[in-house]
Each structure stands twice: as C-alpha cells, then as structure tokens.
Amino acid sequence: MVLAGLWLLLVMLVVWHQVRFWSKPQLDSDLLGLLSGRSDDYTALQVGQRISGAGARQIFILLGSGTPEQARLATLRYRDDLSQTPYMREAERLEDWFDTAQRFYLPYRNRLLTDAQREGLRDTDVSEQVQKSLAGLFGVFGGARLTDWQRDPLGLWSAWWQEHARDLRASIDASGAFQADGLYWQALRYETVASVLRLDGTPYLRDALAHAEARAREAVPDVQILRAGIPLHAEAASVQANREIDMIGWGSLLAVLLFAWLVFRSAVPMLIIGVSLAVGVASALSLTVLVFGKIHVLTLVFGASLVGVAEDYGIHWFTSRQGKPASERWRILLHLLPSLVLALVTTALAYLTMGVAPLEGLRQMALFSAAGLSAAFLTILLWAPWLDRNVLHQTRFATWVGRTESRWPVVRKNRVWAITTGVIVLVVVGGVLQLRGHDDLRGLQNSPPDLIAQQRKINDLLDLPSPAQFYLIRGVTAEIVLQREEALTAHLRMMRDKGNISGYRALSDWLPSQRMQARNAALVDAMEAAVVHGVAEQIGEELSPFAFSSTPMTVEGFLRDPASLPFRALWLGEDQAGYASVVMLTGIRSIGVLPELAAVAGQVEGVSWVDMVSDISGMLGHYRRVMTWLLLAGYVAVFAALYWRLRRQAWLAIMPTAIASLLTVALLGWFGIPFQLFNVLALLLILGMGSDFGIILTEHQGDNSAWVAICVGGASTWLSFGLLTLSATPALSTFGLTMLLGIGLAWVISPCFQQRKAPEEKPTPC
C-alpha cells in the first residue's frame, strides 16, 4: 500500500509537469539536432547545427512581377497583412544595415582593398593617380561616390563596396526590386516570434502566409510568390507529426482496447490498462524533457507506438486473473512477477541499446521507450491488485484463443522439419546475398516537395549559401584563422572565375587579418599622401590626407558592432583546440565539382572540407555497422540472462526470435528494401519483444492464459509498429516495416518451440 501511494505521488508530479509542458511545449524538429552528439569540440555536425541555428527563425519571401511598380504594390499589401499576425515580425530593414556598416568601416577604409585595387596601387604611377583624383574631385568621369573626395581621394571606397555587394544581394536589394528570370523581385525577411511546434495540427505560419498571399494577389493577380525558411519546414514536420501521432497513438490504443474487450468483456481491465498506458507515455515524455530539455517530434511519433508494447503487462495480469477469485490476486502477482520482470528487462535493454550510439535522437527514443515501459509496468504491479477486486469471468473468445496453441506444430526431428529448415536456410541465404546497405541522409528527410522547390528557387535568385557543403578553418589564434581564410578565398576566386561556383561567404572578406590590414594601409596611406600632395599643388590649396584609425579592426570589436550581423554565423569562436570559422559557398554548379572543391582544402593548412550529406550518411553507415555488432552482443547477453533463469530451456525462448530476425532481414533483401540503421534498431527491439513471447510460454507451459496474453499483446504490438509503416518519414516507415515482419514472425514461430503440457482446467466460459 505504501509503494502504491508513493507511485501515486510520482504520477501526480508527472501530471503537473505535463500541464506545464503542454502550455509551452519544448519541441524540436531539426534533423541535425536529431543526429547531434555531445562533443565540446567543433565537429562537422555541430557546425551544421550552428549554421542552421543562425537561420532557425528566419523566413524569406520573394514577390515577383513584370514591373517594379507591380512588385512593390504586391509587397506593400503582403507586408501590411503580415503585420497583423502574432507569429512573425519583419526583420530589421536592410538598408539600415548598409548605413550602419558604412559608419563602422569608414575609419578603417584605408585597410580595405580588393585584389584589383591592391594590384593597381602597386603598379600605378603617382602622377597618373593624381590626374584620376583630380577628375574625381571636379566630377569629370568621377562616377558615384559614397563619401566626400577628401575622405577617399583615390575612389577606392565605392569600388570596394561594389565588389562585395554582389555577395550580399539578399541583404542590399531587399529594400528595392532586383531583376532575375525576366521579373522584378522584392525580397522580405521575417523572424518568427512564437513557437509553431505545438502539435495541435494547425499550420499557423502557412495559414498566415496564405492569407497575405491572397491579399497580394488582389492587387497584382499574376504576382509570383516564393517562401522559404527553416520555420516553414519545422511547422510542416510538426503538422505531419500531429497526424501521425493521432494515427499511430489512437490507432494503437483503439486496437488494445478492442482486444481487451474481446478477451475480458469488462470495463475494469480496459480502464486499468488504459491508465497504465497513459502513465507510461506521460512519464516517458516528462523524463525525456527533463533529461534533454526538449523532445524531438520524431521521438513522439516513435513513442506513439509504445502503446502497443506497454499494454502487455496489463494483458498478462488480467488473462491470469480470468476465472480466478479476487482473493488469489496476490498469489497470481507473485506467480507472474519473475517472468514479467525478465520480459521488462530484456525489452528495456533492447531499447536502451539504441542509446549506445552518441546520437541525441536515438538517446531520446531509447530513454522515452524504456521509461514508458517501466512506468506502465510499475502501474500494473503497484495498482492493479488494489484496483482489480471483482470476479473476472473467462470469456468464450479467451477460451478459443487459448486452445489455438495446441494446434501449432511443434519442432520435431523428422523429415518435415528437416525440409522446413532447409527452405528457411535457402530463403535466408538468398535474401542476405541480395541485401544492400543504404545510409543516405535523404532517407530521414520529408519536407513537402513544393516547399523544397521554393527553397531551391529562392536560393538561386538570392544566391544564398548552401548549408550542406562548406570549409571549416581552424587556428591557434583568431589572426591565424583569418590568414588561412584569405589563402583559401584566393583559390575560391579562381574557382568562381572558372564558373564552378557563383561565389562564397567568408568573414575575412569583411574583416581582413591584421597582417592584410597592415599591408593595405601601407599601400593606401603612401599613395593617398602623395596624391593629395600632388592635387594640392595643382589646385593651389592646402590639403591633408584623411586621418584614419591608428588601430586595426579586431574580431571582438567587429562582432560587437551591428555591421557584423550578416556574418556572425561564419565565426565559430574559441574551442579547446583554438579558434574556428567557416567559409560557405554559393551556386555550386554540380555535384561533379565537389571533388575539386574538396581538393582545395588540402592546399591550405588548417582547412577542412565538409560535405554534410556525405558526412552524415557516412556516420549513419558507421553506426549501422556498430549497432549490428551490438545486436549480436545483445543476443549473447539476452541468452545469458535467459540461461540464468531458464537453464537448458533458454534456447527455446530465444530461438524463435533469432529465426524471425534472420527471415526479416532476408525478406528485406528479397523485396529490394535497402538495409539501414533503422532496420538494425528495429532488430534490436525484435530481440527484446520477441524474447518476451518465448519467456512467457516457457515460464508458464501448459497455461492457456499465457498464450492468450501473448496473442492479445502480440497482435496489438504488431499493429502498433505496423502503423509506423504508414509514416511519411522514410526512416520511421522502414523501421515499422521491419518490426511488422519481425514481431509477426516471432509471434507465429514461438509456439513451435514449446514443450506441451496438459492445459490447466478452466471454469466453464460465461
């Protein structure tokens, strides 16, 4: 009674946490977050997270029309409508950034030169520069200026900005129209101000943007509107997760309750089993959030299938209680306890083995599942004997199911089973030989095709950098990192001139190394002093060069200033090995140029080429192989645990699962389904759950109620994981198919390896 009361107290704390959680859910849909580890060093995956995190709240909108006036009109209507939504706000207007950046850079103008300007200052005669400067002073062929003549007598300032402006089309042109693909485009940038990951099935952002789009089309019917951004993909994943949680969770629950009603024909078992499932799922969610600080939507989708597993303990309890007086419930509990504990341990270990891989997503799923099973088990163990006090009659359906075990063929040493074994061996060998590994990252992605197409179009129009391929630059000091960036970008400019890329993003283009600043300043100061003196002589006035800052720009000072806002994501800062930054690429011509881009990294010390798709796919392949060995080790560990309890009968409990797993792998090969990490994870769970069938049947030979419990529990488990095959996420669908095959085969094969005893007498069914 005391333990039941303590468990009630813990459940009340879980309920309190659930109320707080769902008022403001800490949900995550970032794919890289699902695959992240816990290293403090800068890994490719962590850099990818940093890059994606910089734009985690940003949404880009492009409105295009045949004339600049129509584009501006549609944009005004669009912006006006979105100003009413509480979910997003327009980001800082970008012309303000341009003014801010000019104010920051002006004292350091002499330290900023393009390659062409640097060459020109080295090669141009002073007298020639004096004539050019005079032309600029009196407006003859002087061109547009960003500052007065005395601050820039050589006309370097405007040319420097023009060189750098092409890499910031999204930032500079967002205040006006730019022309591309035969249309004039207006660019808008928004930031989300409220979480859209609420799992209530409502696409808040999509609806708000659709309403604004309708308003824009009222003014300009033929306007083209494109939208892109991580929040849109996150919301789509959230809406999809809501549908799948409803489908899988409620489908599993209805299946469990239907089977419970058919077997027990009483509301009490259904109610208690339902309570154990609710406690299990809620406890799993709360513990996962407390440990990780948030929970991924795919963890919730995966966890929805837990319903079909956690009900096993309640099913076993009530099938054993059928036809027995309430006074025997404590004896029944003691009778069931060893086998249920062993079943819990093997299944929980199978789940927890998923957490061995240092991937946060798998750790979340492992903890969620193991915690949910344990909580459901404790609910039945501590509450069921107190809540279940009535007579539970044997039903005709339960009696019929219990008798079906005797109709199962039992493995014997005869010709039929020899032929059967031969056929199984041929199927397994043939299927395994056809099996092919496949670890492509794209198997984990499932954004709507239309959203992906718009994202690509915006990337092309705005020449946005790709987050999938970039260079990682390291150095002992920040200065060394910037110098290595400058050496790298020299190679990248040649790649750009060849047409392999359209451009790149590098912090050193906007913050040169102090060595480069000193070289530039020496050239500019010497030439400007000579030119100003020459001009003063020719016009007969006293002139003096502009007084620039005597100290160079520093990383710390630059990052503190708003001028650095578009580039802060490129600087990773300090870690245990020193400092790090990234250089990102735009307009990669084709996959075929990736090897050439990778080779560039080898030409500069401290530079690494990162291909996120390739790296993550390689990581998935590595963990697939690691988890395969863990699967084999798991069979050894489970057999050892079974042998400790069952001795010579241990092989009877584990052999059906082993055969089912081999046949499942073979069928995947025969069906041409690629073998990946999630297949191995499913096989781990098949080991834990399939062994439960053998444990219960071996521990309770001759007890028809054990077979009834296995049939009801197996059917609901089979259906729960089978529903995962309907998931729109390829990884979960593959996982569900493997579970569907493996659990179903283990369920069917298990009775074939049991020694039959005369069944216990049961009261006449009512």
Side-chain angles (χ1 to χ4, degrees):
M1 188 67 178
V2 174
L3 293 176
L6 290 174
W7 184 240
L8 177 61
L9 179 61
L10 287 175
V11 170
M12 291 175 65
L13 290 174
V14 169
V15 172
W16 172 78
H17 180 267
Q18 289 292 297
V19 172
R20 292 193 60 188
F21 173 81
W22 289 110
S23 64
K24 191 177 181 181
Q26 296 89 39
L27 300 174
D28 182 21
S29 69
D30 179 22
L31 176 62
L32 295 182
L34 183 71
L35 299 175
S36 67
R38 294 187 178 181
S39 172
D40 294 328
D41 194 14
Y42 284 119
T43 64
L45 189 59
Q46 287 176 307
V47 175
Q49 284 182 275
R50 176 79 171 264
I51 293 170
S52 64
R57 296 173 53 231
Q58 293 188 356
I59 298 175
F60 286 98
I61 310 292
L62 288 186
L63 298 96
S65 189
T67 66
E69 294 74 21
Q70 286 182 315
R72 279 193 289 271
L73 176 60
T75 301
L76 287 173
R77 292 290 183 89
Y78 197 95
R79 178 188 286 134
D80 180 65
D81 190 81
L82 280 187
S83 66
Q84 309 300 317
T85 180
Y87 304 113
M88 67 185 84
R89 63 166 177 262
E90 190 172 3
E92 183 181 356
R93 298 296 297 276
L94 298 166
E95 65 267 25
D96 296 338
W97 172 84
F98 185 58
D99 294 338
T100 299
Q102 287 190 82
R103 286 193 295 270
F104 172 81
Y105 282 119
L106 192 56
Y108 308 102
R109 183 192 58 74
N110 62 330
R111 300 177 183 273
L112 303 172
L113 291 175
T114 66
D115 288 344
Q117 289 173 334
R118 198 176 297 111
E119 289 292 327
L121 290 176
R122 289 195 187 104
D123 300 337
T124 304
D125 183 71
V126 173
S127 59
E128 183 181 344
Q129 284 285 7
V130 169
Q131 297 306 312
K132 289 182 179 179
S133 186
L134 279 170
L137 176 61
F138 294 106
V140 181
F141 308 114
R145 281 183 169 272
L146 294 177
T147 186
D148 58 76
W149 180 90
Q150 191 168 357
R151 292 190 180 192
D152 185 22
L154 304 182
L156 300 172
W157 189 227
S158 298
W160 185 86
W161 272 108
Q162 289 172 1
E163 171 75 16
H164 288 69
R166 64 180 179 182
D167 288 336
L168 282 180
R169 178 163 54 185
S171 298
I172 293 177
D173 293 338
S175 60
F178 66 92
Q179 195 171 10
D181 286 0
L183 296 176
Y184 291 89
W185 297 89
Q186 287 272 345
L188 298 174
R189 187 164 57 95
Y190 285 84
E191 293 181 348
T192 56
V193 296
S195 174
V196 296
L197 302 183
R198 304 188 180 188
L199 283 187
D200 60 1
T202 304
Y204 297 99
L205 294 180
R206 189 183 70 188
D207 290 350
L209 294 174
H211 192 271
E213 183 175 328
R215 287 290 308 278
R217 292 191 188 282
E218 290 176 2
V220 183
D222 63 345
V223 65
Q224 289 193 28
I225 301 177
L226 303 173
R227 55 196 183 194
I230 292 176
L232 301 180
H233 294 272
E235 182 185 70
S238 177
V239 172
Q240 176 185 300
N242 177 76
R243 291 196 301 266
E244 293 184 356
I245 288 171
D246 285 345
M247 175 187 67
I248 297 169
W250 288 109
S252 301
L253 181 60
L254 289 175
V256 169
L257 296 180
L258 174 62
F259 290 136
W261 174 255
L262 290 173
V263 172
F264 305 119
R265 295 297 179 89
S266 171
V268 173
M270 297 173 63
L271 179 61
I272 295 177
I273 291 172
V275 168
S276 71
L277 295 178
V279 170
V281 173
S283 301
L285 194 154
S286 292
L287 184 60
T288 303
V289 172
L290 289 174
V291 171
F292 292 97
K294 59 185 177 181
I295 190 167
H296 201 281
V297 292
L298 287 185
T299 301
L300 288 177
V301 174
F302 178 85
S305 62
L306 186 68
V307 171
V309 184
E311 46 77 40
D312 284 357
Y313 310 112
I315 294 292
H316 281 293
W317 165 261
F318 285 106
T319 53
S320 298
R321 272 273 290 116
Q322 274 191 313
K324 306 276 180 55
S327 58
E328 293 188 20
R329 63 190 188 278
W330 295 108
R331 181 190 64 81
I332 294 172
L333 180 63
L334 293 175
H335 176 66
L336 289 175
L337 193 57
S339 58
L340 291 184
V341 169
L342 187 58
L344 171 66
V345 168
T346 55
T347 306
L349 282 175
Y351 274 115
L352 291 174
T353 304
M354 293 169 54
V356 172
L359 303 178
E360 183 169 304
L362 297 184
R363 286 174 171 171
Q364 281 194 20
M365 293 178 185
L367 178 62
F368 187 100
S369 302
L373 283 179
S374 300
F377 171 79
L378 289 173
T379 302
I380 293 298
L381 177 68
L382 299 176
W383 288 358
W386 295 100
L387 299 175
D388 178 27
R389 295 169 177 261
N390 299 321
V391 175
L392 189 62
H393 296 289
Q394 185 80 10
T395 64
R396 295 185 183 277
F397 182 78
T399 302
W400 174 79
V401 172
R403 289 173 178 171
T404 58
E405 184 188 7
S406 62
R407 300 187 179 96
W408 245 260
V410 179
V411 174
R412 304 290 186 193
K413 292 182 179 180
N414 56 36
R415 181 178 299 177
V416 173
W417 282 105
I419 295 173
T420 302
T421 302
V423 171
I424 292 175
V425 170
L426 289 175
V427 170
V428 169
V429 172
V432 169
L433 290 176
Q434 298 181 70
L435 202 62
R436 295 292 180 270
H438 183 74
D439 305 296
D440 197 332
L441 171 64
R442 287 168 291 189
L444 300 178
Q445 297 175 318
N446 191 53
S447 289
D450 178 62
L451 196 56
I452 293 175
Q454 292 187 65
Q455 181 88 43
R456 289 173 177 167
K457 182 70 172 178
I458 286 180
N459 286 346
D460 291 339
L461 290 173
L462 297 181
D463 203 26
L464 296 176
S466 167
Q469 291 89 21
F470 52 86
Y471 294 96
L472 175 62
I473 299 91
R474 294 175 177 273
V476 177
T477 65
E479 172 68 9
I480 290 176
V481 170
L482 291 175
Q483 290 180 17
R484 289 173 175 174
E485 270 198 23
E486 289 164 349
L488 171 65
T489 55
H491 291 283
L492 294 181
R493 283 190 287 274
M494 290 189 289
M495 298 285 286
R496 182 181 63 190
D497 294 341
K498 290 166 58 178
N500 290 339
I501 58 175
S502 64
Y504 61 87
R505 303 282 192 274
L507 185 70
S508 57
D509 273 4
W510 299 89
L511 177 67
S513 67
Q514 293 192 23
R515 182 178 67 181
M516 182 63 72
Q517 290 184 52
R519 290 176 179 175
N520 292 341
L523 286 172
V524 172
D525 292 347
M527 181 62 73
E528 287 194 358
V531 168
V532 170
H533 178 72
V535 170
E537 285 186 342
Q538 295 213 21
I539 65 175
E541 294 186 12
E542 186 176 343
L543 299 174
S544 59
F546 180 75
F548 295 107
S549 173
S550 60
T551 58
M553 293 180 286
T554 63
V555 172
E556 295 79 8
F558 179 65
L559 294 178
R560 282 196 302 267
D561 194 276
S564 66
L565 186 61
F567 321 109
R568 287 175 183 170
L570 300 174
W571 186 253
L572 302 179
E574 188 176 8
D575 70 352
Q576 296 174 349
Y579 291 81
S581 70
V582 294
V583 172
M584 304 183 68
L585 304 175
T586 63
I588 297 176
R589 185 180 65 192
S590 66
I591 296 178
V593 305
L594 294 181
E596 189 174 352
L597 291 170
V600 170
Q603 301 177 42
V604 182
E605 184 181 357
V607 176
S608 304
W609 168 251
V610 178
D611 185 341
M612 290 294 294
V613 175
S614 176
D615 288 349
I616 294 179
S617 297
M619 181 185 66
L620 292 174
H622 168 71
Y623 286 120
R624 171 174 59 83
R625 292 185 289 272
V626 170
M627 298 305 286
T628 299
W629 285 108
L630 283 175
L631 173 64
L632 298 177
Y635 268 93
V636 174
V638 169
F639 181 78
L642 294 177
Y643 187 81
W644 177 79
R645 171 69 184 173
L646 303 176
R647 298 302 178 186
R648 294 184 178 181
Q649 292 184 317
W651 75 275
L652 297 174
I654 199 171
M655 185 59 70
T657 304
I659 295 174
S661 296
L662 288 172
L663 284 172
T664 298
V665 173
L667 290 174
L668 293 176
W670 283 110
F671 295 157
I673 297 173
F675 193 68
Q676 52 188 260
L677 175 62
F678 279 81
N679 296 112
V680 182
L681 298 178
L683 292 171
L684 274 169
L685 300 194
I686 291 169
L687 167 61
M689 298 175 192
S691 298
D692 290 354
F693 300 152
I695 290 169
I696 300 300
L697 287 175
T698 304
E699 286 268 12
H700 304 282
Q701 292 180 16
D703 185 354
N704 283 352
S705 64
W707 177 239
V708 174
I710 285 175
C711 286
V712 176
S716 55
T717 301
W718 183 78
L719 180 61
S720 297
F721 282 102
L723 287 172
L724 278 178
T725 61
L726 303 178
S727 172
T729 303
L732 290 181
S733 178
T734 298
F735 182 93
L737 176 61
T738 307
M739 293 295 296
L740 188 74
L741 294 171
I743 292 297
L745 288 169
W747 177 22
V748 170
I749 296 172
S750 290
C752 299
F753 283 82
Q754 299 304 311
Q755 300 173 1
R756 299 287 160 77
K757 292 182 179 180
E760 295 181 2
E761 290 294 328
K762 292 285 185 180
T764 303
C766 59

